Amino acid sequence: MTIPAFVNREFKLAENKLIVTNGRSTETYLQELRLLLSKVESDRLLSVRTLLPEAGWRRIILETAQRQLIPLLVKEPAGGGQMMHVLFPDQGKQGLNLTEIEQMVARGEGIAIVDLFGLGERASASAEHIDGALPRFHTISRSMLWMGQTMMGIWANEITLVSDYLQQHYGNHKLIVHAYRETALAALISSDLSPQQRILQLRRLPASYLPDMTGSLENFNMAVHIPGILKWGDIPLLLALSREDINVDELMPWSGKSCPEKDKKQLLNKVNAYKRKFNIGGTLQIN
């Protein structure tokens, strides 16, 4: 039996006991998720620094209690724009689509661009050199696991800190979080653990941690892994526990192939069934 076949068989046997017939509360699931993500206390905002503006962008640095520096590039809303877009690119800010940003600016909407831990200007040249031909984030992710943390936990916490800061300063604007691939999963986790009044625009979110029976198992990088996540539930449960409105574009199976319409519909039905079971609000749209 192959590893994908074994994992899918075991999860299918356990799923009914994990969720369908289980009487655990949503808070129990969320507490278990917190423990899977990190064995250490969550980071918190310590101070805010403002640097000189550059090319029409405000430059802000959020310093955390664990001495992480989270850089924000902020373009203020203009002309009565009511939206504040917050971008968490999976390749760092240098990987963003400039055309999309220009369109937002033309509509007078605000933008904040954020490099999460290990991405963009916060990338580790040493770790990337050690990784070599290994999957991306192999070194950093493994180091975090040794220290009782996960990349998903760190990123989700940073997304929450950034969202909290922007809510305080742009509370009259609709906050829209844009995240991609691995950062999309982190944004979803942030939505579960620290719900606010955001809209999540998630692109190429993994549909499940269950591997496809055939195809590559290396489409997502090492930052995505959470040991024990299938014993807890899976991504459908993460989607169901969010109370925020979520739009998913280009839903992606583990192999990286395009997701068939029937699989999208099956996922949507499962998530809505979980939401009814736990009486949780929030909407999910899979495009």
Side-chain angles (χ1 to χ4, degrees), residues 152-172:
M152 285 294 102
I154 293 171
W155 284 356
N157 188 70
E158 289 192 349
I159 290 171
T160 297
L161 292 179
V162 170
S163 298
D164 286 344
Y165 171 79
L166 293 173
Q167 287 280 17
Q168 291 176 15
H169 289 79
Y170 302 95
N172 295 327

Side-chain angles (χ1 to χ4, degrees), residues 207 212 251 253 258-268 286:
D212 297 299
L251 183 71
S258 61
C259 190
E261 289 299 319
K262 65 178 181 64
D263 291 349
K264 294 180 183 178
K265 186 176 181 180
Q266 183 179 12
L267 173 61
L268 188 59
I286 303 177

Side-chain angles (χ1 to χ4, degrees), residues 6 10 12 21 36 38 42 46 71 80 85 93 109 132 173 186-187 190 212 217 228 235 246 252 254 268:
F6 174 78
E10 291 300 300
K12 187 175 181 180
T21 61
L36 290 180
S38 180
S42 296
L46 186 64
H85 299 273
K93 65 173 71 72
E109 297 164 354
H173 295 76
S190 167
D212 297 299
L217 296 179
I235 290 172
I246 302 173
M252 187 175 290
W254 201 257
L268 188 59

